[in-house]
Amino acid sequence: MPPHRRAALSPRLASADPGHGVTLADVALAAKVSLATASRVFSHPQLVREATAQRVHDAARRLSFRPNLLGAKLRAQQTRIIGVMLPTLDNAVFAECWRGIEEASLAAGYSLMLVTSNYDPARERERVEYLLRHRVDGLLLTVANAADSIVLDQLDRESVPYVLAYNQITAEGAGNHRYSVSVDNRVSACEGVNALIAAGHRRIAVVSGAFMASDRARQRFAGYEDAMRAHGLPVLDAVNLPSHTASNTAQIRALVAQDDAPTAFFCTNDLLAIGVISDLKRLGLRVPQDVSVLGYDGIALGALVEPPLATVAQPNADIGTQAIAQLLARLAGAPSPQGHATLLPHALRIDGTVRPPP
Amino acid sequence: MPPHRRAALSPRLASADPGHGVTLADVALAAKVSLATASRVFSHPQLVREATAQRVHDAARRLSFRPNLLGAKLRAQQTRIIGVMLPTLDNAVFAECWRGIEEASLAAGYSLMLVTSNYDPARERERVEYLLRHRVDGLLLTVANAADSIVLDQLDRESVPYVLAYNQITAEGAGNHRYSVSVDNRVSACEGVNALIAAGHRRIAVVSGAFMASDRARQRFAGYEDAMRAHGLPVLDAVNLPSHTASNTAQIRALVAQDDAPTAFFCTNDLLAIGVISDLKRLGLRVPQDVSVLGYDGIALGALVEPPLATVAQPNADIGTQAIAQLLARLAGAPSPQGHATLLPHALRIDGTVRPPP
DNA sequence: GTGAAAGCGCTAACAA
DNA sequence: TTGTTAGCGCTTTCAC
């Protein structure tokens, strides 16, 4: 009975609301083929004779048929939707990453559902549950702390395929069955600080977002420690700013007011670095003449400001692209059980804001 | 027959893959109620006795039941998904707007599907078709040119509910049946330029992205013209930069090299303004001592740099929130036929980068 | 190469 | 208050 009921409605729909409400059954009827054949024309064209296919296509066009993906998804038991959870889009790092994610996904015929967690583990749980209810086929996510994440544990328990972006799986400890795409945070940070040291800096301070909110920040601090220790230089406590974007002149002032004020600042992300540079300027210090600043991330904006921001650059769009590629590979085929941390190359840009100490 | 088949599988699933593959039928069976009752517990709890509901909830928890939204959506003929199309996330304006969008949508129980068009009308068409196939209930979008948009015409023809963000519907011309949420681009730009004039500037140049790619840019330029004309000042040709982020020192140099070089620059977006400031610095000019720069957008970053960027600020997150609110209202109820342009208040921040001419 | 029919997971009449 | 039943639009065996 289905085909006829709808067919009766078609005339109205075709004029007032083309494409909306027109089902494959309508198309089949108009093309004088069965529903099955009509379906095959779109999903398995090689199974149907050329002339028949043409008739169906014509009918589809005439009726402005638009396939309802919901029906297909429900039937197929796979949605071809990837859930993406990022901390925030306010940091350009993730916005840049999105470009790669969208590009790679749509090219592969996958759709995206985006949510942001704002670095909050509770919200992470909630948002992921939400994506799961939509039956996303897999997830691409950046969590606050990969090594201690309720949400990742849950995903593992449920064997939901996912790939981490930016979070870096480390060999030791739990979770090394996981997949991640990132740079080597510790090594790259160490190289960045080494560059500062090579420029002659001895007292180097670290400014970071809340360590609790980001394992990357902790790994980068570890890289700083490595570099300082290797050169027998004093490891200073990190200045942890609550927000990655707040201007915290007071804390910076306290630092530079010391007898033995740092001559260089390593900031664990570029946004922070830009804020710190402004703070320093407000305190009457010139960057890089009086004090050097090194960021981390390589956001496009850094190259836009003057002097250009020295930074440890990550390939942000690539991280997105690669993470999607990995996820698709897992979705498609052999879900190799032992996980893998993909490390993408970083690049040092020791540009305008770093210079030898005065 | 359905219920029994699945029930046989449950034990395996419950241990290996909780929640995955468990259907409402399984829950109903475990709770010894009918499928309908189980469904009602979640959709219309008031229709079911407390004790029964409890049994169902217990069973659901025991089996780690996770509702499959696909089934519900297909049946309900509405997805509770809103499609969002933004030009790019690389401009913080849209990233900030996303915050408002996500907040408002999730609070109302709607999900989001995001795509970006990169200011390209062809890609706009493609991406929207894509969203439509997902049967999004409505759309929130920013198009390149609202007044001349194939994609908007199509949406109108198909009576798909949508609300524009940032694009500003103007009274005259076609398309005034549409809904938009934005600031008043022309008026606010005029006020911004007025502030420049009030500060003593007479020769004011405009730097903009490609006019073709953004009706906002054109409207803001019109606001500039209004202000200049009203004061009997010369309207200069706009410098149209191909990219909103490229540094175009050459073009800026040509401008400032003139005898009668402008003393102030009005940039139609903040990102551009930051680039222009850097260009000027590279040319040996100090901002704001030698030349003033006024941006447009009010992105958070502008307040972070030193000196803070003078700008015409839009309430970006609010634009997202309000646009979603409007869309939800249309989705819910009376789709008033005559459209409406909601204008949100802008704010002038004549901060650090604007000062009287030297 | 094509058709008939079952059913993906869920909701909403309609009955009881 | 609860159960029975008929689909939502699509894909896919299984026949022919």
Side-chain angles (χ1 to χ4, degrees):
Chain A
M1 169 289 232
H4 325 87
R5 186 194 44 70
R6 281 239 154 258
L9 284 162
S10 286
R12 180 187 67 79
L13 293 166
S15 57
D17 193 1
H20 222 80
V22 176
T23 74
L24 195 52
D26 298 323
V27 174
L29 198 73
K32 300 191 201 308
V33 297
S34 75
L35 176 56
T37 300
S39 170
R40 279 188 280 253
V41 169
F42 296 105
S43 341
H44 304 287
Q46 72 283 11
L47 293 184
V48 53
R49 204 191 329 141
E50 179 60 38
T52 319
Q54 200 47 57
R55 285 216 319 281
V56 172
H57 276 126
D58 288 349
R61 183 163 19 260
R62 204 165 51 246
L63 299 180
S64 308
F65 169 65
R66 173 149 47 222
N68 183 337
L69 263 27
L70 250 40
K73 288 172 188 317
L74 179 56
R75 169 66 216 231
Q77 292 293 87
Q78 62 141 302
T79 55
R80 291 188 81 83
I81 297 180
I82 292 171
V84 178
M85 182 170 72
L86 264 17
T88 174
L89 257 28
D90 287 338
N91 188 332
V93 174
F94 301 112
E96 290 179 12
C97 182
W98 173 262
R99 261 216 321 273
I101 294 173
E102 185 176 350
E103 206 86 17
S105 305
L106 297 222
Y110 274 78
S111 314
L112 296 171
M113 218 152 212
L114 171 69
V115 296
T116 60
S117 66
N118 204 30
Y119 300 96
D120 173 358
R123 195 160 143 182
E124 283 178 2
R125 283 226 45 179
E126 175 197 308
R127 295 293 205 254
V128 163
E129 171 65 22
Y130 176 87
L131 292 172
L132 258 17
R133 289 187 178 203
H134 282 285
R135 291 298 190 269
V136 294
D137 288 344
L139 294 164
L140 160 1
L141 23 81
T142 302
V143 298
N145 294 297
D148 171 32
S149 165
I150 297 181
V151 78
L152 293 187
D153 291 344
Q154 183 200 352
L155 257 22
D156 287 339
R157 252 191 334 270
E158 308 196 16
S159 359
V160 178
Y162 67 91
V163 173
L164 295 164
Y166 293 100
N167 295 291
Q168 175 185 175
I169 298 311
T170 47
E172 72 273 11
N176 52 23
H177 56 284
R178 292 173 176 160
Y179 290 80
S180 68
V181 177
S182 70
V183 294
D184 191 324
N185 284 291
R186 184 163 178 168
V187 167
S188 58
C190 177
E191 288 180 19
V193 175
N194 276 156
L196 252 19
I197 295 170
H201 294 279
R202 291 293 168 267
R203 288 195 61 84
I204 302 172
V206 174
V207 180
S208 170
F211 276 168
M212 270 236 337
S214 165
D215 49 15
R216 282 85 65 210
R218 291 198 302 275
Q219 290 162 348
R220 292 166 198 171
F221 184 78
Y224 156 80
E225 290 182 305
D226 293 345
M228 297 303 271
R229 294 235 166 82
H231 292 82
L233 296 174
V235 170
L236 306 183
D237 284 343
V239 176
N240 284 107
L241 265 23
S243 156
H244 285 208
T245 54
S247 149
N248 284 74
T249 315
Q251 299 189 53
I252 304 298
R253 185 202 310 275
L255 259 178
V256 299
Q258 300 170 167
D259 312 339
D260 219 8
T263 60
F265 286 83
F266 172 44
C267 304
T268 58
N269 73 58
D270 280 351
L271 224 42
L272 224 44
I274 289 171
V276 166
I277 291 172
S278 301
D279 289 338
L280 292 168
K281 282 193 195 166
R282 269 189 281 272
L283 293 169
L285 292 165
R286 293 164 305 160
V287 176
Q289 294 86 339
D290 300 324
V291 50
S292 291
V293 174
L294 174 66
Y296 192 110
D297 277 347
I299 60 178
L301 181 74
L304 255 189
V305 295
E306 177 61 31
L309 181 63
T311 193
V312 179
Q314 312 185 72
N316 292 307
D318 264 13
I319 288 179
T321 310
Q322 295 278 350
I324 287 292
Q326 296 235 353
L327 185 56
L328 293 182
R330 291 194 59 191
L331 253 27
S336 116
Q338 79 281 18
H340 184 60
T342 302
L343 295 180
L344 262 30
H346 56 269
L348 253 44
R349 295 215 279 258
I350 305 301
D351 271 305
T353 57
V354 166
R355 185 179 291 190
Chain B
M1 172 287 237
H4 324 88
R5 184 194 46 70
R6 284 235 152 261
L9 285 162
S10 286
R12 180 187 67 79
L13 293 166
S15 55
D17 193 4
H20 223 82
V22 178
T23 75
L24 196 53
D26 298 322
V27 174
L29 198 75
K32 299 192 200 312
V33 297
S34 75
L35 176 55
T37 299
S39 169
R40 278 189 282 254
V41 169
F42 296 105
S43 346
H44 305 286
Q46 73 284 6
L47 293 183
V48 55
R49 208 193 325 141
E50 178 62 38
T52 320
Q54 199 50 57
R55 285 219 314 284
V56 173
H57 276 127
D58 288 350
R61 181 162 21 259
R62 203 162 56 245
L63 301 179
S64 305
F65 168 67
R66 174 149 45 221
N68 183 337
L69 262 28
L70 249 39
K73 287 173 190 318
L74 179 56
R75 168 66 217 227
Q77 291 296 84
Q78 62 142 304
T79 54
R80 291 187 81 83
I81 297 180
I82 292 171
V84 178
M85 182 170 73
L86 264 15
T88 173
L89 258 25
D90 288 339
N91 189 330
V93 173
F94 301 112
E96 289 179 13
C97 182
W98 173 263
R99 262 216 322 274
I101 294 172
E102 185 176 353
E103 206 86 15
S105 304
L106 297 224
Y110 274 78
S111 313
L112 296 171
M113 215 150 217
L114 171 70
V115 295
T116 60
S117 66
N118 204 30
Y119 299 96
D120 173 358
R123 193 160 145 183
E124 282 177 2
R125 284 226 46 179
E126 173 197 310
R127 295 294 205 253
V128 162
E129 171 65 23
Y130 173 90
L131 292 172
L132 257 18
R133 290 186 178 204
H134 282 286
R135 290 299 191 271
V136 294
D137 288 344
L139 294 163
L140 162 358
L141 25 81
T142 302
V143 297
N145 293 297
D148 172 31
S149 165
I150 297 181
V151 79
L152 256 26
D153 291 344
Q154 182 199 354
L155 258 18
D156 287 340
R157 251 190 336 269
E158 308 196 16
S159 357
V160 179
Y162 68 92
V163 173
L164 295 164
Y166 293 99
N167 295 291
Q168 175 186 175
I169 297 310
T170 47
E172 71 274 10
N176 53 23
H177 55 286
R178 292 172 176 160
Y179 289 79
S180 68
V181 177
S182 70
V183 294
D184 191 322
N185 285 289
R186 184 163 178 168
V187 167
S188 58
C190 178
E191 287 180 19
V193 175
N194 276 157
L196 253 19
I197 296 170
H201 295 280
R202 291 293 170 266
R203 287 196 63 82
I204 302 172
V206 174
V207 180
S208 171
F211 276 168
M212 270 235 339
S214 165
D215 49 15
R216 282 85 65 211
R218 291 198 303 274
Q219 290 163 347
R220 292 167 198 170
F221 184 77
Y224 156 80
E225 291 183 306
D226 293 344
M228 297 303 271
R229 295 236 165 83
H231 291 83
L233 297 174
V235 170
L236 307 183
D237 284 342
V239 175
N240 284 106
L241 266 23
S243 154
H244 284 206
T245 54
S247 150
N248 286 74
T249 316
Q251 300 192 49
I252 304 299
R253 185 201 311 274
L255 259 179
V256 299
Q258 301 170 165
D259 312 337
D260 219 8
T263 61
F265 287 84
F266 172 44
C267 304
T268 58
N269 73 59
D270 280 353
L271 226 42
L272 225 44
I274 289 171
V276 167
I277 291 172
S278 301
D279 288 339
L280 292 168
K281 281 193 196 166
R282 271 189 281 273
L283 294 168
L285 292 164
R286 293 164 305 160
V287 176
Q289 294 87 339
D290 301 324
V291 51
S292 290
V293 174
L294 174 65
Y296 193 111
D297 278 346
I299 60 178
L301 181 75
L304 257 188
V305 295
E306 177 61 30
L309 180 63
T311 193
V312 180
Q314 312 185 71
N316 292 307
D318 264 13
I319 288 178
T321 311
Q322 295 277 349
I324 288 291
Q326 296 234 353
L327 185 55
L328 293 182
R330 292 193 58 190
L331 254 27
S336 120
Q338 80 280 20
H340 185 57
T342 302
L343 295 180
L344 262 28
H346 57 269
L348 255 43
R349 295 214 280 258
I350 306 301
D351 272 305
T353 58
V354 166
R355 185 177 292 190

